[in-house]
Amino acid sequence: MPNPYPQDDARWDSTELWFESIALTDANGIVHVTDDRRIVVDAGGHIAVEPSVEAVGVEVQVDSVAAQHDLPANAELLGVASANPITVDALADNTCTTYFGQAQAIWRVSTETSGIVCSTNALMPSS
Protein backbone atom coordinates (compact mmCIF):
# COMPACT_ATOMS: atom_id res chain seq x y z
CA MET A 1 0.00 0.00 0.00
CA PRO A 2 1.71 3.20 -1.12
CA ASN A 3 1.83 6.24 1.11
CA PRO A 4 -1.53 8.04 0.63
CA TYR A 5 -0.20 11.54 1.33
CA PRO A 6 1.19 13.95 -1.28
CA GLN A 7 4.95 14.49 -1.09
CA ASP A 8 4.54 18.07 0.15
CA ASP A 9 2.53 16.84 3.17
CA ALA A 10 4.42 16.54 6.49
CA ARG A 11 3.01 13.00 6.93
CA TRP A 12 4.55 11.72 3.69
CA ASP A 13 7.59 9.45 3.77
CA SER A 14 9.21 7.18 1.20
CA THR A 15 7.87 3.92 2.62
CA GLU A 16 4.95 1.69 1.86
CA LEU A 17 3.26 -1.10 3.78
CA TRP A 18 3.22 -4.68 2.58
CA PHE A 19 0.49 -7.00 3.87
CA GLU A 20 1.68 -10.59 3.64
CA SER A 21 -0.98 -13.29 3.81
CA ILE A 22 0.16 -16.45 5.61
CA ALA A 23 -1.70 -19.77 5.58
CA LEU A 24 -1.04 -23.23 7.02
CA THR A 25 -1.64 -25.58 4.10
CA ASP A 26 -1.21 -29.19 3.09
CA ALA A 27 0.80 -30.34 0.06
CA ASN A 28 -2.18 -29.55 -2.20
CA GLY A 29 -2.50 -25.95 -0.98
CA ILE A 30 -5.62 -26.64 1.11
CA VAL A 31 -5.70 -24.41 4.20
CA HIS A 32 -5.83 -26.25 7.56
CA VAL A 33 -8.73 -24.26 9.04
CA THR A 34 -9.05 -26.48 12.13
CA ASP A 35 -5.36 -26.67 13.02
CA ASP A 36 -4.35 -23.30 14.48
CA ARG A 37 -0.71 -23.05 15.50
CA ARG A 38 1.70 -20.52 16.87
CA ILE A 39 3.90 -18.96 14.16
CA VAL A 40 7.02 -16.83 14.43
CA VAL A 41 8.19 -14.52 11.65
CA ASP A 42 11.80 -13.35 11.78
CA ALA A 43 13.22 -10.13 10.38
CA GLY A 44 14.37 -11.94 7.24
CA GLY A 45 10.84 -13.13 6.43
CA HIS A 46 11.30 -16.78 7.46
CA ILE A 47 8.27 -18.30 9.15
CA ALA A 48 8.51 -21.00 11.83
CA VAL A 49 5.48 -23.07 12.84
CA GLU A 50 5.24 -24.66 16.27
CA PRO A 51 4.19 -28.32 16.38
CA SER A 52 0.55 -29.05 17.14
CA VAL A 53 -0.44 -31.01 20.22
CA GLU A 54 -3.86 -31.97 18.81
CA ALA A 55 -2.81 -32.80 15.25
CA VAL A 56 0.15 -35.10 15.84
CA GLY A 57 1.55 -36.36 12.57
CA VAL A 58 -0.22 -33.74 10.45
CA GLU A 59 2.25 -32.05 8.15
CA VAL A 60 1.69 -28.39 7.36
CA GLN A 61 3.41 -26.05 4.97
CA VAL A 62 3.47 -22.28 5.16
CA ASP A 63 1.90 -20.71 2.10
CA SER A 64 3.24 -17.18 1.85
CA VAL A 65 3.68 -15.21 -1.34
CA ALA A 66 6.48 -13.19 0.23
CA ALA A 67 8.35 -16.41 1.04
CA GLN A 68 8.59 -17.00 -2.71
CA HIS A 69 10.32 -13.63 -3.21
CA ASP A 70 13.29 -12.10 -1.46
CA LEU A 71 12.44 -9.34 0.97
CA PRO A 72 14.65 -6.29 0.53
CA ALA A 73 17.24 -5.75 3.23
CA ASN A 74 15.43 -2.61 4.36
CA ALA A 75 12.13 -4.40 5.12
CA GLU A 76 11.00 -3.80 8.70
CA LEU A 77 8.54 -6.21 10.30
CA LEU A 78 5.84 -4.14 12.05
CA GLY A 79 3.78 -7.03 13.37
CA VAL A 80 2.12 -10.40 12.84
CA ALA A 81 -1.52 -10.98 13.64
CA SER A 82 -4.58 -13.06 12.89
CA ALA A 83 -8.18 -11.91 12.63
CA ASN A 84 -9.09 -13.68 15.88
CA PRO A 85 -11.35 -11.25 17.79
CA ILE A 86 -10.43 -12.70 21.21
CA THR A 87 -6.69 -13.25 20.91
CA VAL A 88 -4.18 -12.38 23.60
CA ASP A 89 -1.43 -11.92 21.01
CA ALA A 90 0.26 -8.51 20.81
CA LEU A 91 -0.29 -6.77 17.48
CA ALA A 92 3.22 -5.34 17.19
CA ASP A 93 5.00 -8.64 17.85
CA ASN A 94 6.65 -11.16 15.54
CA THR A 95 4.50 -14.06 16.72
CA CYS A 96 0.82 -15.00 16.81
CA THR A 97 -1.54 -17.98 16.73
CA THR A 98 -3.22 -18.51 13.38
CA TYR A 99 -6.99 -18.12 13.15
CA PHE A 100 -8.70 -20.67 10.91
CA GLY A 101 -5.17 -21.50 9.69
CA GLN A 102 -4.35 -17.97 8.57
CA ALA A 103 -2.46 -14.87 9.70
CA GLN A 104 -0.91 -11.75 8.25
CA ALA A 105 2.48 -10.05 8.55
CA ILE A 106 2.83 -6.32 7.99
CA TRP A 107 6.11 -4.92 6.64
CA ARG A 108 7.36 -1.37 6.10
CA VAL A 109 9.60 -1.06 3.05
CA SER A 110 11.30 1.94 1.48
CA THR A 111 9.83 2.50 -1.97
CA GLU A 112 13.19 3.67 -3.25
CA THR A 113 14.69 0.17 -3.12
CA SER A 114 11.77 -2.27 -2.84
CA GLY A 115 11.44 -3.53 -6.43
CA ILE A 116 8.12 -5.10 -5.43
CA VAL A 117 4.67 -3.59 -5.69
CA CYS A 118 1.70 -4.57 -3.56
CA SER A 119 -1.57 -5.94 -4.89
CA THR A 120 -4.80 -6.21 -2.93
CA ASN A 121 -4.11 -9.70 -1.61
CA ALA A 122 -0.41 -10.51 -1.87
CA LEU A 123 3.08 -9.28 -2.54
CA MET A 124 3.95 -9.36 -6.21
CA PRO A 125 7.25 -8.62 -7.94
CA SER A 126 7.22 -5.49 -10.05
CA SER A 127 7.76 -5.91 -13.77
Side-chain angles (χ1 to χ4, degrees):
M1 167 185 242
N3 193 311
Y5 303 110
Q7 288 189 8
D8 61 351
D9 190 303
R11 296 169 290 182
W12 186 89
D13 64 18
S14 63
T15 64
E16 58 184 28
L17 298 179
W18 291 0
F19 298 89
E20 174 188 9
S21 296
I22 301 167
L24 304 179
T25 64
D26 63 15
N28 296 318
I30 306 298
V31 177
H32 284 272
V33 296
T34 60
D35 186 19
D36 288 326
R37 298 185 189 200
R38 201 114 187 105
I39 61 169
V40 178
V41 180
D42 70 19
H46 300 98
I47 302 167
V49 180
E50 290 187 2
S52 172
V53 175
E54 295 84 21
V56 176
V58 174
E59 291 294 321
V60 297
Q61 300 175 7
V62 176
D63 184 15
S64 164
V65 175
Q68 299 168 17
H69 304 286
D70 291 329
L71 283 171
N74 67 342
E76 174 191 4
L77 180 64
L78 299 179
V80 178
S82 69
N84 188 341
I86 56 171
T87 186
V88 296
D89 296 330
L91 294 177
D93 202 355
N94 71 331
T95 184
C96 79
T97 301
T98 59
Y99 184 59
F100 289 105
Q102 299 182 342
Q104 189 173 67
I106 297 93
W107 300 88
R108 175 176 286 135
V109 178
S110 172
T111 57
E112 297 167 357
T113 60
S114 71
I116 295 180
V117 295
C118 188
S119 74
T120 57
N121 61 359
L123 302 177
M124 303 298 288
S126 62
S127 48

